[in-house]
Every structure is written in structure tokens, then in C-alpha cells.
Amino acid sequence: MHKDEMKGAAKQAKGAMKEAAGKMTGNDRMRAEGAAEKAAGKVQKGVGEVKQTGRDALKH
């Protein structure tokens, strides 16, 4: 697992919690920030997966 995958997953989880808290409290700004952070985490995780796949391909 590449470090970007781990950081991305953590960012996704943090964003999901922030989004849920925003929904529960009716805070649209927090909900939007959480959604954006979750999306950024998903992208970062994907980048890490691509990097790891490239590394694995070079090993074989």
C-alpha cells in the first residue's frame, strides 16, 4: 500500500465525518467542506493506487 493510499483513505474518512456532522447540525458549509474533503481523499487514494500498480509492474 502506497502512502498516498493511506492518506487518501484517512482524508475520505475525515470528510465523511465532517459531512455527516454538517448534515446533523444543519450546517451547509460544514457539509460542503466534508464532501469536498471526501472527494479529494478519493482522488489522492486513486493516485496512490496508480503509483503502487506502477511499482508492482516494475518489480516483475
Side-chain angles (χ1 to χ4, degrees), residues 24-53:
M24 287 178 21
T25 61
N27 186 333
D28 290 336
R29 183 177 177 188
M30 183 185 289
R31 184 195 52 78
E33 286 175 4
E37 195 167 344
K38 193 166 78 170
K42 191 172 188 174
V43 169
Q44 185 174 11
K45 185 177 178 189
V47 168
E49 289 171 356
V50 169
K51 286 180 180 180
Q52 188 62 45
T53 301

PDB file of all heavy atoms in Angstrom, residues 24-53:
ATOM      1  N   MET A  24     -26.181  16.670  10.288  1.00  0.00           N
ATOM      2  CA  MET A  24     -26.881  16.540  11.568  1.00  0.00           C
ATOM      3  C   MET A  24     -27.168  17.901  12.195  1.00  0.00           C
ATOM      4  O   MET A  24     -28.206  18.095  12.819  1.00  0.00           O
ATOM      5  CB  MET A  24     -26.075  15.671  12.538  1.00  0.00           C
ATOM      6  CG  MET A  24     -26.101  14.218  12.180  1.00  0.00           C
ATOM      7  SD  MET A  24     -25.126  13.080  13.213  1.00  0.00           S
ATOM      8  CE  MET A  24     -24.889  13.900  14.723  1.00  0.00           C
ATOM      9  N   THR A  25     -26.239  18.829  12.054  1.00  0.00           N
ATOM     10  CA  THR A  25     -26.395  20.139  12.674  1.00  0.00           C
ATOM     11  C   THR A  25     -27.068  21.149  11.754  1.00  0.00           C
ATOM     12  O   THR A  25     -27.362  22.266  12.176  1.00  0.00           O
ATOM     13  CB  THR A  25     -25.032  20.706  13.115  1.00  0.00           C
ATOM     14  OG1 THR A  25     -24.185  20.857  11.968  1.00  0.00           O
ATOM     15  CG2 THR A  25     -24.361  19.807  14.135  1.00  0.00           C
ATOM     16  N   GLY A  26     -27.274  20.782  10.501  1.00  0.00           N
ATOM     17  CA  GLY A  26     -27.875  21.700   9.553  1.00  0.00           C
ATOM     18  C   GLY A  26     -26.899  22.746   9.040  1.00  0.00           C
ATOM     19  O   GLY A  26     -27.294  23.766   8.485  1.00  0.00           O
ATOM     20  N   ASN A  27     -25.604  22.496   9.210  1.00  0.00           N
ATOM     21  CA  ASN A  27     -24.565  23.429   8.788  1.00  0.00           C
ATOM     22  C   ASN A  27     -24.158  23.077   7.349  1.00  0.00           C
ATOM     23  O   ASN A  27     -23.386  22.151   7.115  1.00  0.00           O
ATOM     24  CB  ASN A  27     -23.372  23.332   9.743  1.00  0.00           C
ATOM     25  CG  ASN A  27     -22.304  24.364   9.479  1.00  0.00           C
ATOM     26  OD1 ASN A  27     -22.152  24.842   8.364  1.00  0.00           O
ATOM     27  ND2 ASN A  27     -21.551  24.684  10.517  1.00  0.00           N
ATOM     28  N   ASP A  28     -24.691  23.831   6.396  1.00  0.00           N
ATOM     29  CA  ASP A  28     -24.433  23.536   4.982  1.00  0.00           C
ATOM     30  C   ASP A  28     -22.967  23.727   4.606  1.00  0.00           C
ATOM     31  O   ASP A  28     -22.438  23.004   3.767  1.00  0.00           O
ATOM     32  CB  ASP A  28     -25.311  24.402   4.085  1.00  0.00           C
ATOM     33  CG  ASP A  28     -26.778  23.999   4.148  1.00  0.00           C
ATOM     34  OD1 ASP A  28     -27.061  22.831   4.481  1.00  0.00           O
ATOM     35  OD2 ASP A  28     -27.634  24.859   3.870  1.00  0.00           O
ATOM     36  N   ARG A  29     -22.318  24.696   5.225  1.00  0.00           N
ATOM     37  CA  ARG A  29     -20.903  24.940   4.916  1.00  0.00           C
ATOM     38  C   ARG A  29     -20.038  23.741   5.344  1.00  0.00           C
ATOM     39  O   ARG A  29     -19.177  23.288   4.594  1.00  0.00           O
ATOM     40  CB  ARG A  29     -20.426  26.213   5.602  1.00  0.00           C
ATOM     41  CG  ARG A  29     -18.997  26.545   5.265  1.00  0.00           C
ATOM     42  CD  ARG A  29     -18.569  27.840   5.879  1.00  0.00           C
ATOM     43  NE  ARG A  29     -17.166  28.076   5.587  1.00  0.00           N
ATOM     44  CZ  ARG A  29     -16.464  29.043   6.098  1.00  0.00           C
ATOM     45  NH1 ARG A  29     -17.018  29.904   6.924  1.00  0.00           N
ATOM     46  NH2 ARG A  29     -15.211  29.183   5.787  1.00  0.00           N
ATOM     47  N   MET A  30     -20.277  23.231   6.540  1.00  0.00           N
ATOM     48  CA  MET A  30     -19.509  22.081   7.021  1.00  0.00           C
ATOM     49  C   MET A  30     -19.783  20.855   6.162  1.00  0.00           C
ATOM     50  O   MET A  30     -18.877  20.094   5.846  1.00  0.00           O
ATOM     51  CB  MET A  30     -19.828  21.772   8.482  1.00  0.00           C
ATOM     52  CG  MET A  30     -18.997  20.637   9.063  1.00  0.00           C
ATOM     53  SD  MET A  30     -19.469  20.157  10.740  1.00  0.00           S
ATOM     54  CE  MET A  30     -18.885  21.564  11.663  1.00  0.00           C
ATOM     55  N   ARG A  31     -21.033  20.691   5.768  1.00  0.00           N
ATOM     56  CA  ARG A  31     -21.398  19.558   4.917  1.00  0.00           C
ATOM     57  C   ARG A  31     -20.672  19.647   3.580  1.00  0.00           C
ATOM     58  O   ARG A  31     -20.110  18.669   3.097  1.00  0.00           O
ATOM     59  CB  ARG A  31     -22.907  19.531   4.688  1.00  0.00           C
ATOM     60  CG  ARG A  31     -23.369  18.333   3.888  1.00  0.00           C
ATOM     61  CD  ARG A  31     -24.782  18.497   3.352  1.00  0.00           C
ATOM     62  NE  ARG A  31     -24.987  19.731   2.612  1.00  0.00           N
ATOM     63  CZ  ARG A  31     -24.591  19.936   1.346  1.00  0.00           C
ATOM     64  NH1 ARG A  31     -23.940  19.003   0.702  1.00  0.00           N
ATOM     65  NH2 ARG A  31     -24.826  21.088   0.749  1.00  0.00           N
ATOM     66  N   ALA A  32     -20.629  20.838   3.009  1.00  0.00           N
ATOM     67  CA  ALA A  32     -19.950  21.029   1.724  1.00  0.00           C
ATOM     68  C   ALA A  32     -18.441  20.822   1.856  1.00  0.00           C
ATOM     69  O   ALA A  32     -17.809  20.210   0.984  1.00  0.00           O
ATOM     70  CB  ALA A  32     -20.242  22.428   1.186  1.00  0.00           C
ATOM     71  N   GLU A  33     -17.859  21.332   2.938  1.00  0.00           N
ATOM     72  CA  GLU A  33     -16.423  21.128   3.170  1.00  0.00           C
ATOM     73  C   GLU A  33     -16.114  19.640   3.306  1.00  0.00           C
ATOM     74  O   GLU A  33     -15.107  19.148   2.790  1.00  0.00           O
ATOM     75  CB  GLU A  33     -15.971  21.865   4.425  1.00  0.00           C
ATOM     76  CG  GLU A  33     -15.875  23.366   4.274  1.00  0.00           C
ATOM     77  CD  GLU A  33     -15.542  24.070   5.575  1.00  0.00           C
ATOM     78  OE1 GLU A  33     -15.303  23.404   6.605  1.00  0.00           O
ATOM     79  OE2 GLU A  33     -15.520  25.312   5.574  1.00  0.00           O
ATOM     80  N   GLY A  34     -16.966  18.927   4.021  1.00  0.00           N
ATOM     81  CA  GLY A  34     -16.773  17.490   4.189  1.00  0.00           C
ATOM     82  C   GLY A  34     -16.861  16.741   2.878  1.00  0.00           C
ATOM     83  O   GLY A  34     -16.053  15.843   2.599  1.00  0.00           O
ATOM     84  N   ALA A  35     -17.816  17.116   2.057  1.00  0.00           N
ATOM     85  CA  ALA A  35     -17.969  16.468   0.757  1.00  0.00           C
ATOM     86  C   ALA A  35     -16.750  16.726  -0.120  1.00  0.00           C
ATOM     87  O   ALA A  35     -16.262  15.821  -0.808  1.00  0.00           O
ATOM     88  CB  ALA A  35     -19.241  16.963   0.068  1.00  0.00           C
ATOM     89  N   ALA A  36     -16.251  17.961  -0.081  1.00  0.00           N
ATOM     90  CA  ALA A  36     -15.071  18.293  -0.878  1.00  0.00           C
ATOM     91  C   ALA A  36     -13.840  17.538  -0.377  1.00  0.00           C
ATOM     92  O   ALA A  36     -13.042  17.036  -1.178  1.00  0.00           O
ATOM     93  CB  ALA A  36     -14.813  19.796  -0.819  1.00  0.00           C
ATOM     94  N   GLU A  37     -13.695  17.444   0.933  1.00  0.00           N
ATOM     95  CA  GLU A  37     -12.552  16.728   1.505  1.00  0.00           C
ATOM     96  C   GLU A  37     -12.634  15.238   1.182  1.00  0.00           C
ATOM     97  O   GLU A  37     -11.618  14.603   0.887  1.00  0.00           O
ATOM     98  CB  GLU A  37     -12.525  16.935   3.021  1.00  0.00           C
ATOM     99  CG  GLU A  37     -11.227  16.561   3.666  1.00  0.00           C
ATOM    100  CD  GLU A  37     -11.110  17.064   5.097  1.00  0.00           C
ATOM    101  OE1 GLU A  37     -11.877  17.951   5.507  1.00  0.00           O
ATOM    102  OE2 GLU A  37     -10.234  16.554   5.810  1.00  0.00           O
ATOM    103  N   LYS A  38     -13.836  14.706   1.209  1.00  0.00           N
ATOM    104  CA  LYS A  38     -14.037  13.292   0.871  1.00  0.00           C
ATOM    105  C   LYS A  38     -13.658  13.035  -0.584  1.00  0.00           C
ATOM    106  O   LYS A  38     -12.981  12.050  -0.898  1.00  0.00           O
ATOM    107  CB  LYS A  38     -15.498  12.920   1.137  1.00  0.00           C
ATOM    108  CG  LYS A  38     -15.778  11.451   1.139  1.00  0.00           C
ATOM    109  CD  LYS A  38     -17.147  11.139   1.727  1.00  0.00           C
ATOM    110  CE  LYS A  38     -18.253  11.403   0.763  1.00  0.00           C
ATOM    111  NZ  LYS A  38     -19.561  10.892   1.236  1.00  0.00           N
ATOM    112  N   ALA A  39     -14.039  13.934  -1.466  1.00  0.00           N
ATOM    113  CA  ALA A  39     -13.703  13.788  -2.883  1.00  0.00           C
ATOM    114  C   ALA A  39     -12.195  13.897  -3.101  1.00  0.00           C
ATOM    115  O   ALA A  39     -11.611  13.128  -3.879  1.00  0.00           O
ATOM    116  CB  ALA A  39     -14.429  14.844  -3.700  1.00  0.00           C
ATOM    117  N   ALA A  40     -11.556  14.835  -2.407  1.00  0.00           N
ATOM    118  CA  ALA A  40     -10.104  14.991  -2.529  1.00  0.00           C
ATOM    119  C   ALA A  40      -9.387  13.736  -2.028  1.00  0.00           C
ATOM    120  O   ALA A  40      -8.384  13.307  -2.613  1.00  0.00           O
ATOM    121  CB  ALA A  40      -9.631  16.211  -1.749  1.00  0.00           C
ATOM    122  N   GLY A  41      -9.899  13.149  -0.966  1.00  0.00           N
ATOM    123  CA  GLY A  41      -9.316  11.912  -0.449  1.00  0.00           C
ATOM    124  C   GLY A  41      -9.450  10.765  -1.433  1.00  0.00           C
ATOM    125  O   GLY A  41      -8.539   9.948  -1.582  1.00  0.00           O
ATOM    126  N   LYS A  42     -10.577  10.722  -2.111  1.00  0.00           N
ATOM    127  CA  LYS A  42     -10.800   9.670  -3.103  1.00  0.00           C
ATOM    128  C   LYS A  42      -9.802   9.793  -4.250  1.00  0.00           C
ATOM    129  O   LYS A  42      -9.232   8.801  -4.709  1.00  0.00           O
ATOM    130  CB  LYS A  42     -12.231   9.765  -3.632  1.00  0.00           C
ATOM    131  CG  LYS A  42     -12.684   8.604  -4.448  1.00  0.00           C
ATOM    132  CD  LYS A  42     -14.163   8.703  -4.752  1.00  0.00           C
ATOM    133  CE  LYS A  42     -14.660   7.438  -5.398  1.00  0.00           C
ATOM    134  NZ  LYS A  42     -16.108   7.446  -5.581  1.00  0.00           N
ATOM    135  N   VAL A  43      -9.555  11.034  -4.678  1.00  0.00           N
ATOM    136  CA  VAL A  43      -8.585  11.273  -5.751  1.00  0.00           C
ATOM    137  C   VAL A  43      -7.188  10.887  -5.289  1.00  0.00           C
ATOM    138  O   VAL A  43      -6.441  10.205  -6.004  1.00  0.00           O
ATOM    139  CB  VAL A  43      -8.624  12.750  -6.201  1.00  0.00           C
ATOM    140  CG1 VAL A  43      -7.458  13.072  -7.108  1.00  0.00           C
ATOM    141  CG2 VAL A  43      -9.938  13.052  -6.898  1.00  0.00           C
ATOM    142  N   GLN A  44      -6.815  11.314  -4.081  1.00  0.00           N
ATOM    143  CA  GLN A  44      -5.481  11.011  -3.564  1.00  0.00           C
ATOM    144  C   GLN A  44      -5.281   9.502  -3.416  1.00  0.00           C
ATOM    145  O   GLN A  44      -4.216   8.979  -3.733  1.00  0.00           O
ATOM    146  CB  GLN A  44      -5.261  11.697  -2.217  1.00  0.00           C
ATOM    147  CG  GLN A  44      -3.847  11.532  -1.683  1.00  0.00           C
ATOM    148  CD  GLN A  44      -3.604  12.334  -0.416  1.00  0.00           C
ATOM    149  OE1 GLN A  44      -4.525  12.862   0.186  1.00  0.00           O
ATOM    150  NE2 GLN A  44      -2.363  12.426  -0.011  1.00  0.00           N
ATOM    151  N   LYS A  45      -6.315   8.810  -2.966  1.00  0.00           N
ATOM    152  CA  LYS A  45      -6.229   7.357  -2.833  1.00  0.00           C
ATOM    153  C   LYS A  45      -6.030   6.713  -4.204  1.00  0.00           C
ATOM    154  O   LYS A  45      -5.235   5.792  -4.360  1.00  0.00           O
ATOM    155  CB  LYS A  45      -7.492   6.819  -2.170  1.00  0.00           C
ATOM    156  CG  LYS A  45      -7.435   5.342  -1.876  1.00  0.00           C
ATOM    157  CD  LYS A  45      -8.682   4.883  -1.148  1.00  0.00           C
ATOM    158  CE  LYS A  45      -8.613   3.390  -0.926  1.00  0.00           C
ATOM    159  NZ  LYS A  45      -9.874   2.858  -0.420  1.00  0.00           N
ATOM    160  N   GLY A  46      -6.729   7.221  -5.204  1.00  0.00           N
ATOM    161  CA  GLY A  46      -6.587   6.701  -6.567  1.00  0.00           C
ATOM    162  C   GLY A  46      -5.191   6.914  -7.113  1.00  0.00           C
ATOM    163  O   GLY A  46      -4.623   6.031  -7.771  1.00  0.00           O
ATOM    164  N   VAL A  47      -4.606   8.067  -6.837  1.00  0.00           N
ATOM    165  CA  VAL A  47      -3.235   8.349  -7.269  1.00  0.00           C
ATOM    166  C   VAL A  47      -2.276   7.353  -6.626  1.00  0.00           C
ATOM    167  O   VAL A  47      -1.376   6.817  -7.277  1.00  0.00           O
ATOM    168  CB  VAL A  47      -2.833   9.803  -6.921  1.00  0.00           C
ATOM    169  CG1 VAL A  47      -1.348  10.021  -7.091  1.00  0.00           C
ATOM    170  CG2 VAL A  47      -3.606  10.780  -7.779  1.00  0.00           C
ATOM    171  N   GLY A  48      -2.487   7.088  -5.351  1.00  0.00           N
ATOM    172  CA  GLY A  48      -1.640   6.121  -4.653  1.00  0.00           C
ATOM    173  C   GLY A  48      -1.760   4.728  -5.240  1.00  0.00           C
ATOM    174  O   GLY A  48      -0.763   4.000  -5.352  1.00  0.00           O
ATOM    175  N   GLU A  49      -2.971   4.351  -5.636  1.00  0.00           N
ATOM    176  CA  GLU A  49      -3.171   3.035  -6.238  1.00  0.00           C
ATOM    177  C   GLU A  49      -2.433   2.936  -7.571  1.00  0.00           C
ATOM    178  O   GLU A  49      -1.825   1.908  -7.871  1.00  0.00           O
ATOM    179  CB  GLU A  49      -4.662   2.769  -6.422  1.00  0.00           C
ATOM    180  CG  GLU A  49      -5.399   2.537  -5.124  1.00  0.00           C
ATOM    181  CD  GLU A  49      -6.910   2.476  -5.283  1.00  0.00           C
ATOM    182  OE1 GLU A  49      -7.415   2.686  -6.405  1.00  0.00           O
ATOM    183  OE2 GLU A  49      -7.586   2.233  -4.269  1.00  0.00           O
ATOM    184  N   VAL A  50      -2.486   4.011  -8.355  1.00  0.00           N
ATOM    185  CA  VAL A  50      -1.791   4.015  -9.640  1.00  0.00           C
ATOM    186  C   VAL A  50      -0.278   3.911  -9.418  1.00  0.00           C
ATOM    187  O   VAL A  50       0.414   3.148 -10.107  1.00  0.00           O
ATOM    188  CB  VAL A  50      -2.143   5.286 -10.453  1.00  0.00           C
ATOM    189  CG1 VAL A  50      -1.229   5.443 -11.648  1.00  0.00           C
ATOM    190  CG2 VAL A  50      -3.594   5.240 -10.881  1.00  0.00           C
ATOM    191  N   LYS A  51       0.229   4.661  -8.453  1.00  0.00           N
ATOM    192  CA  LYS A  51       1.667   4.609  -8.155  1.00  0.00           C
ATOM    193  C   LYS A  51       2.075   3.204  -7.722  1.00  0.00           C
ATOM    194  O   LYS A  51       3.102   2.688  -8.161  1.00  0.00           O
ATOM    195  CB  LYS A  51       2.026   5.603  -7.047  1.00  0.00           C
ATOM    196  CG  LYS A  51       2.037   7.043  -7.478  1.00  0.00           C
ATOM    197  CD  LYS A  51       2.416   7.938  -6.306  1.00  0.00           C
ATOM    198  CE  LYS A  51       2.453   9.395  -6.687  1.00  0.00           C
ATOM    199  NZ  LYS A  51       2.814  10.241  -5.523  1.00  0.00           N
ATOM    200  N   GLN A  52       1.251   2.588  -6.877  1.00  0.00           N
ATOM    201  CA  GLN A  52       1.572   1.248  -6.396  1.00  0.00           C
ATOM    202  C   GLN A  52       1.525   0.235  -7.528  1.00  0.00           C
ATOM    203  O   GLN A  52       2.383  -0.647  -7.620  1.00  0.00           O
ATOM    204  CB  GLN A  52       0.615   0.839  -5.274  1.00  0.00           C
ATOM    205  CG  GLN A  52       0.999  -0.465  -4.601  1.00  0.00           C
ATOM    206  CD  GLN A  52       2.358  -0.400  -3.928  1.00  0.00           C
ATOM    207  OE1 GLN A  52       2.682   0.553  -3.245  1.00  0.00           O
ATOM    208  NE2 GLN A  52       3.175  -1.420  -4.129  1.00  0.00           N
ATOM    209  N   THR A  53       0.561   0.362  -8.405  1.00  0.00           N
ATOM    210  CA  THR A  53       0.457  -0.541  -9.547  1.00  0.00           C
ATOM    211  C   THR A  53       1.696  -0.418 -10.432  1.00  0.00           C
ATOM    212  O   THR A  53       2.245  -1.418 -10.906  1.00  0.00           O
ATOM    213  CB  THR A  53      -0.812  -0.239 -10.365  1.00  0.00           C
ATOM    214  OG1 THR A  53      -1.948  -0.387  -9.514  1.00  0.00           O
ATOM    215  CG2 THR A  53      -0.942  -1.152 -11.559  1.00  0.00           C
TER     216      THR A  53
END
